[in-house]
Amino acid sequence: MAVYESDLPGVGKKFEVDLDDESRLVVVIHNTGKRELFIRPDPDADSEKLFELSDKLARQVGTIMEGAYFQPIKTDDIETVLSEESLIEWVKVPAESPVAGETLEDAGIREETGASVVAIQRDGETITNPGPDTTLMPEDTLVAVGSREEHDELESFVAGE
């Protein structure tokens, strides 16, 4: 990520930040404290104004953005903790999985692991509350509820380990 800084005589400072999609975020900080945010879709495009903030509001938003109030937990897996004993995790069904091509009932996931599949993500769509006759497909992502141990069992089971 590159950040470019330039003086705007009589106005303040301009910061330009390269974003992942090759667009550029432009922040103008006026000497009065006002902040203006712009987006430049590509290097040759004109900047489009997104919004402006007062000095006080910009400082509050900045504090939130830096994580002073909430710091997300970074993990290798996607998971949502519901309580100390239960969480929601997403588990991918590998192409060579022994459960690929089987229905939820035939696969026996709940009986084998204790985790309950509450949704299946497939080709950009989500099947909520899949029934026992729902067929599991390679590359499906199972959204399951269970304990840490049950999720460990589910991941091994789906991987065929």
Side-chain angles (χ1 to χ4, degrees), residues 136-148:
L136 301 171
M137 305 297 289
E139 304 305 317
D140 277 356
T141 299
L142 308 180
V143 183
V145 175
S147 67
R148 165 67 48 218

Side-chain angles (χ1 to χ4, degrees), residues 93-105:
V93 176
E96 67 281 357
S97 172
V99 302
E102 292 194 28
T103 65
L104 271 173
E105 183 175 25

Side-chain angles (χ1 to χ4, degrees), residues 4-92:
Y4 307 95
E5 178 182 339
S6 58
D7 290 323
L8 299 175
V11 176
K13 279 206 178 267
K14 178 171 75 174
F15 297 89
E16 297 187 45
V17 180
D18 287 338
L19 302 177
D20 291 340
D21 64 355
E22 299 185 20
S23 63
R24 188 173 278 186
L25 179 66
V26 180
V27 179
V28 176
I29 302 177
H30 292 252
N31 291 332
T32 62
K34 177 176 83 174
R35 272 74 158 182
E36 293 179 298
L37 275 76
F38 301 85
I39 190 81
R40 184 178 302 163
D42 62 70
D44 298 327
D46 291 333
S47 296
E48 301 167 24
K49 187 174 182 177
L50 298 172
F51 56 88
E52 68 179 57
L53 302 170
S54 68
D55 182 49
K56 182 179 178 184
L57 186 55
R59 290 178 189 278
Q60 290 173 326
V61 171
T63 303
I64 292 169
M65 295 291 288
E66 75 176 3
Y69 296 107
F70 173 73
Q71 184 64 46
I73 300 168
K74 192 172 189 175
T75 66
D76 292 335
D77 299 319
I78 301 169
E79 61 182 40
T80 300
V81 178
L82 300 173
S83 69
E84 285 186 29
E85 296 86 31
S86 60
L87 54 115
I88 297 173
E89 275 197 3
W90 284 248
V91 177
K92 191 102 173 174

Side-chain angles (χ1 to χ4, degrees), residues 104-118:
L104 271 173
E105 183 175 25
D106 291 341
I109 288 176
R110 189 172 183 181
E111 295 77 19
E112 293 292 329
T113 69
S116 297
V117 176
V118 296

Side-chain angles (χ1 to χ4, degrees), residues 128-156:
T128 56
N129 300 316
D133 60 338
T134 303
T135 301
L136 301 171
M137 305 297 289
E139 304 305 317
D140 277 356
T141 299
L142 308 180
V143 183
V145 175
S147 67
R148 165 67 48 218
E149 294 76 26
E150 291 167 340
H151 283 291
D152 290 344
E153 287 291 324
L154 173 62
E155 196 168 319
S156 295

